Structures are given as C-alpha cells and as structure tokens.
Amino acid sequence: MELICPAGTPAAFREAVDAGADAVYCGFRDETNARNFPGLNFSRDELRDAIVYARKKGCMTFVALNTFMRAGNEEIWYSAAADAVRLGADALILADFGLMAHVREHYPEQRLHVSVQASASNPEAINFLVEAFDAKRVVLPRTLTIGDIARIGRKVKCEIEVFVFGGLCVMAEGRCSLSSYATGKSPNMNGVCSPASHVRYRQDGSDMVSELGTYTINRFSQGEAAGYPTLCKGRFDIGDARGYAFEDPVSLDVMGEIEALKDAGVSALKIEGRQRGKAYVAEVVSTLRQVLATAPSGRGPLLARLRALSEGQKTTVGAYEKRWR
Amino acid sequence: MQITSILALPLKAVPLMPLVPIELVAGRLFKLLLLAHGDMFERLGTYKSCRFSFAPTDLPLVFLIEPGGPHLTVLRKGDTFTADAGVEAPLVTLLALLEGRCDADALFFSRDLKVIGDMEAMLAMRNALDDCDIDLPRDLARIGGPAAPVVHRLAVEIRSRSLREIR
C-alpha cells in the first residue's frame, strides 16, 4: 500500500519525501484547496521545484484542487488545474464535478483522484465518477467502518485511499456547514475550516478559553490537553450535561488496522496534516514508514510516541470501528 | 518547562543586565538571520506589517519583531507595548520553533505554548518560519570568524542537549 503524505510548505515537502513518502499531496496558495491557511502552500515555482525534488527520489506529487468552484470565478480553478498539469503533477485531487469534467476534457491523460471533499461514499457515486471522468482513485471519508470500506471495495472500479493518521474530521466532508454557520467561511468554498481570522484564545483565570466567531468552543483547565477550535470538537452545555456533542479533541490513528484495510481492498494510506509543521511531517511519515515494515506485535510502541503530537494528545480509530455513545 | 540546564547558568545573568547589550546581541542575530534567509518573511504577505511578540516564559524579556521594518526591540516584561499577535513558551522551545524542529500545534495541544492576538497573523508567522530552514548553529557560526568551527560545534551541542530536554 502507498503512503500518501501531507506538505504545507516546500520544507515540509522535502521532509516528507526524505522520510519515505510514496506520494506527497499539496496545494496552491489560494482558495483552490481545502487548506487555504495564511502563509501555507505553494507558489507555481515552488510546486515545480517540489515535483522535480520528488521525482529524483522516486516519489509522486498529488495536487489538491479540492474546493468547489464559485460561479463566475471558475477561471481560478481552471488556471490552477492547467498549471498543475503543466508542472507535472502525478495526480489532481478534485472534488467539484465541473472541475473534473473540465480536466477530463482538456487534459485527457491527466490522472484524476476523487477528493474526500467530493463526499463519494457509496459504490454508485464512486462508479459514476469513474465512468464519467475516468477517476482512478477515490479518497473515502472518515465516516465509514472497515466493513463498509470492504463492501465498497468489492464494487468499485477504482483504487481506494483512506485516511489512517492525523486530524479527524467526523463529518460528511464537502457537505459540512458547521464552519460556515459559525464564521461564514468553509473548507468547501474558501478552503478553511474554523478560519484563524475568527479564532481567539483568552485566559480566564487559569483556564484557556477558545472562541470561534461568537461561539465559545472550549474551556481547558490548566494542564489539560487542548484541541483545535472547531465546532465539531467543542464542549457544550447540552441540557443539564456539559460535554462533547460530536467528538472529543482527538486525532485519528488506524495504523493498527493495516491488514484489515489491505484485505478491504485499500491501496493507499493517507496522512492528514498539511497545516502541520515540517517537524510533525518528518516524525509522522518516518514513524508510519517504520510501522508498515514492522510486524503487528511491534507497532504499538512506535505509534505510542505519535500520541504526544496529536490533537488532545489522544488518538482514536474513530468510525473505522464504530461504537455509538 | 524551564530553561534547559546547559543554558540556565549564563541566562541567570539576563535579569540583571541592562537592555542595551541584550538588544545589541539579539539585533545582531536578527540581522544575521535576515541576511542568511532573505525571504524569511515572504510568506507573511499582508501580515508583514504586523507586530509580533515572542515572550520566553523563563526570561523577564519580550522580543518584539516588526517584519515590515524589519526591526527587533527587546523589552522587559511589564513594559507597555502593543503587538498584533504573540507567542509565549520557554526560550528553548521558541528557538526550536524558529528552526522548525518542533511542531507548534503539538506544543499548543500539550499546553507548552500560548498564542494570543490575531491568529491569522500568528499562523502566517509560524508557517513563514517553518519553511525557512533556519539552522542557528550554522547561522551563528557565520559571525564566528576564525572561531566559526568552534562556535558551530558548541552551538550544535547546546541545541542537541536542549532538544533532548524538551522532547
């Protein structure tokens, strides 16, 4: 199985390649990708250099153009696709059907992957994209069990890629409106979930309070491990109880289920984290590369050291092994 | 987390020192980094005009950076100043972040780092520094003259001990 690794900057890209990535995915410095954060991502020149660097080391480069085009401004996405193709991207990761159609029509040889943002999570939807746009791979959402993935794997005519480590989005990606509801900006249209422009941290006595727009997301007592200020991982008063309505501040780690994922027909394992620093990328990629080469009994200690880097300093298998509260 | 043991002794003198020599040394290092990494603040974009405060939790000082100048000011904690965004962490953690040897999000999760103010500006600064490939021993050695190899070796040793203590 391929190890697909994130990079938000050229420095992180080189770390991912050197640490043993089979492919690195990245995006341009604009709203065409779902990690449109300040100071992050690649200029055209940086992407060109990154692709050259990766090629020399036998590593592929995937370019994420996985936001949805705005009517009247399609040219932003079309020119990003044209540049990614021209610069030699090994695959484009797309979510918008219109952009998929455009790429298929204008660049028939370009390999196309279906982004998790496309919300293709059943065989009918996936096979439609394979037949309509010759999609070669689908990235499945983090809402499916391994059993679900196996059932999909038996029926689809393309490769399957799943998230195995990193940030845990628990929603139907591409359709989640929580960030939009709170801030007016979303990963789907603007490339930002819980945008930094709307985030504030303040001290209240010894507590740290995180706020998103006008919402208080969480209150962490002194020394309590913290998480990102997203609504889906917020701690709220619900009736008489205070707790996490959707999910705790926690990261995904399904590396203990590699064999089951392989049996389910998965051909690529994806690490989330284009917004993370190069130190994180280097540590996670090199560790997971080691995990893949280690017998199941020896993987625990390797994975344990990644927990300290994770949101809330905790990891979970999430929906891959669904247990309702 | 406190100042790493190898730095503890020399830095004990800092609270007793006047600001002028501290600012001179810090300013020299800042200029050196700018010289070695000309595009250091390129990723900041519009946030280049912001003021950023870096406050080591184990020193009574605040380092105020204005990338637009570029300009560095050293203040004592308690002095009045304004900044658009700021970060607080132990000195060795701030230096490790400067070199991109630690992940800022992980330090935030573990509560070893605090961020305040405009998060877009702070995020832009974090990403700008992370992409810079700053190597303090290598960059410091450039002002070492004939003693450069010694300065480099010493700085590498201090760094590796410091990193061992914060990991």
Side-chain angles (χ1 to χ4, degrees):
Chain A
M1 287 188 286
E2 290 176 7
L3 193 58
I4 315 298
C5 306
T9 61
F13 189 102
R14 292 189 293 274
E15 293 285 356
V17 173
D18 295 347
D22 292 305
V24 182
Y25 66 101
C26 55
F28 288 125
R29 286 192 205 183
D30 56 33
E31 66 212 269
T32 60
N33 77 94
R35 286 281 184 267
N36 180 24
F37 295 169
L40 208 65
N41 292 320
F42 292 65
S43 67
R44 268 48 172 180
D45 286 347
E46 286 169 343
L47 180 66
R48 182 198 59 222
D49 294 346
I51 291 173
V52 169
Y53 186 85
R55 284 245 165 93
K56 276 185 191 160
K57 303 208 172 191
C59 179
M60 294 177 287
T61 305
F62 300 164
V63 177
L65 303 170
N66 57 348
T67 46
F68 293 88
M69 297 192 290
R70 267 197 324 279
N73 291 103
E74 296 88 346
E75 195 49 40
I76 299 169
W77 283 262
Y78 292 164
S79 72
D83 289 339
V85 172
R86 175 177 56 81
L87 295 168
D90 292 287
L92 303 188
I93 309 171
L94 308 179
D96 187 308
F97 295 180
L99 188 58
M100 290 185 200
H102 174 86
V103 167
R104 188 45 61 235
E105 185 185 346
H106 291 85
Y107 315 105
E109 300 303 315
Q110 179 63 51
R111 188 177 165 93
L112 188 159
H113 292 182
V114 177
S115 168
V116 67
Q117 285 284 108
S119 285
S121 54
N122 58 63
E124 289 74 19
I126 296 165
N127 282 334
F128 168 75
L129 297 173
V130 171
E131 285 157 19
F133 308 120
D134 193 26
K136 299 293 187 198
R137 180 180 294 184
V138 62
V139 184
L140 292 179
R142 287 158 272 197
T143 53
L144 302 170
T145 65
I146 296 177
D148 292 336
I149 295 167
R151 281 186 284 279
I152 289 170
R154 283 194 289 273
K155 292 182 181 171
V156 298
K157 303 168 196 158
C158 68
E159 297 167 359
I160 289 180
E161 180 174 316
V162 296
F163 286 92
V164 289
F165 194 89
L168 173 59
C169 177
V170 291
M171 298 300 170
E173 288 174 73
R175 295 177 185 167
C176 177
S177 294
L178 282 177
S179 175
S180 194
Y181 176 72
T183 70
K185 288 186 173 180
S186 72
N188 315 327
M189 303 303 292
N190 312 97
V192 281
C193 177
S194 307
S197 53
H198 290 68
V199 172
R200 285 288 179 277
Y201 298 106
R202 64 179 173 83
Q203 284 297 129
D204 185 8
S206 61
D207 292 352
M208 179 185 73
V209 178
S210 60
E211 298 170 336
L212 179 68
T214 56
Y215 295 88
T216 298
I217 299 295
N218 216 329
R219 173 184 286 271
F220 299 100
S221 57
Q222 196 166 19
E224 182 184 9
Y228 288 124
T230 56
L231 275 173
C232 60
K233 292 181 183 166
R235 184 156 44 183
F236 304 110
D237 292 333
I238 306 160
D240 295 330
R242 174 169 292 186
Y244 292 101
F246 303 105
E247 181 58 275
D248 302 7
V250 66
S251 288
L252 181 73
D253 176 8
V254 204
M255 288 301 286
E257 305 291 340
I258 300 166
E259 279 71 26
L261 290 170
K262 196 172 184 179
D263 293 344
V266 170
S267 53
L269 306 173
K270 185 167 203 150
I271 302 170
E272 185 278 347
R274 282 196 284 140
Q275 77 285 9
R276 303 293 294 261
K278 64 186 177 192
Y280 175 90
V281 170
E283 179 74 20
V284 172
V285 176
S286 61
T287 302
L288 297 194
R289 179 50 76 196
Q290 264 184 283
V291 167
L292 287 172
T294 303
S297 58
R299 290 174 187 160
L302 292 170
L303 290 167
R305 72 182 195 214
L306 296 184
R307 216 159 287 143
L309 300 175
S310 299
E311 184 174 7
Q313 298 198 297
K314 285 188 298 188
T315 55
T316 176
V317 292
Y320 288 72
E321 191 186 329
K322 198 172 279 172
R323 278 172 292 187
W324 295 105
R325 295 176 188 220
Chain B
M1 199 179 298
Q2 293 303 307
I3 287 175
T4 188
S5 51
I6 198 165
L7 291 174
L9 200 60
L11 289 178
K12 263 186 184 170
V14 167
L16 309 170
M17 290 171 69
L19 278 183
V20 175
I22 298 173
E23 196 165 68
L24 271 175
V25 172
R28 182 83 199 274
L29 181 60
F30 183 56
K31 278 184 186 152
L32 198 70
L33 292 177
L34 288 171
L35 203 65
H37 308 277
D39 56 354
M40 193 162 139
F41 295 129
E42 185 270 332
R43 283 183 174 270
L44 286 179
T46 54
Y47 301 104
K48 205 170 171 180
S49 58
C50 292
R51 307 175 94 198
F52 298 87
S53 66
F54 296 83
T57 51
D58 40 14
L59 283 181
L61 304 173
V62 177
F63 298 87
L64 199 60
I65 304 273
E66 295 168 82
H71 192 65
L72 178 142
T73 312
V74 183
L75 303 152
R76 289 204 189 277
K77 279 180 186 162
D79 289 352
T80 306
F81 70 91
T82 56
D84 298 285
V87 57
E88 294 175 19
L91 178 68
V92 288
T93 302
L94 291 177
L95 294 176
L97 281 170
L98 184 64
E99 286 196 327
R101 289 177 184 274
C102 285
D103 179 69
D105 289 18
L107 292 164
F108 171 78
F109 298 146
S110 65
R111 310 291 300 277
D112 290 312
L113 172 148
K114 273 185 199 169
V115 280
I116 48 168
D118 183 335
M119 284 306 112
E120 279 209 316
M122 202 64 243
L123 209 52
M125 174 59 91
R126 189 279 302 261
N127 292 328
L129 293 177
D130 203 64
D131 193 42
C132 251
D133 285 331
I134 289 172
D135 182 322
L136 288 172
R138 182 193 60 204
D139 295 335
L140 273 172
R142 291 194 175 119
I143 48 170
V150 179
V151 172
H152 185 259
R153 269 202 304 277
L154 184 67
V156 166
E157 178 60 23
I158 292 172
R159 180 175 65 190
S160 59
R161 284 201 201 185
S162 304
L163 287 172
R164 271 203 299 274
E165 286 180 36
I166 62 171
R167 281 173 180 166

